[in-house]
Amino acid sequence: MSEQPATSPGASPTLDDLRERIDSVDRRMVELIAERQDLVIAAGALKRDEDAVRAPVRVEQVIAKVRSLAQDAGASPDVVERTYRALIAAFIDLELERHRAG
């Protein structure tokens, strides 16, 4: 269900066409990150302490899951892992900040 560039049939997409498609993907990704953030905040409210927020075992479960999903989707598992590690670290920081604020 990917969008097609605005070029004539059989023509190669231009750099501008590809950038427009990347911008569209970025918009959808930000919307999904916002949705994930809402869920993370709700889950964080249920955690008793900072160790529960950090949850290293859960982090590794998520990483294993997304590496497998990446493989199935034809994405680089290494890129997906690095992306998710950065995303998870940012969400842990957000959860810790909220947890400490009470």
Side-chain angles (χ1 to χ4, degrees), residues 54-76:
R54 288 187 182 89
V57 171
R58 174 65 178 149
V59 170
E60 294 310 314
Q61 289 171 342
V62 171
I63 295 302
K65 176 190 65 176
V66 298
R67 284 187 65 86
S68 177
L69 291 171
Q71 186 73 36
D72 293 346
S76 166

Side-chain angles (χ1 to χ4, degrees), residues 25-81:
V25 169
D26 288 343
R27 279 188 293 279
R28 293 192 321 258
M29 288 175 63
V30 169
E31 290 170 0
L32 290 171
I33 290 169
E35 181 180 345
R36 192 179 198 284
Q37 177 179 308
D38 290 343
L39 296 168
V40 165
I41 289 170
L46 302 174
K47 297 175 184 176
R48 291 180 294 251
D49 56 37
E50 292 189 8
D51 288 337
V53 170
R54 288 187 182 89
V57 171
R58 174 65 178 149
V59 170
E60 294 310 314
Q61 289 171 342
V62 171
I63 295 302
K65 176 190 65 176
V66 298
R67 284 187 65 86
S68 177
L69 291 171
Q71 186 73 36
D72 293 346
S76 166
D78 292 337
V79 169
V80 170
E81 177 177 348

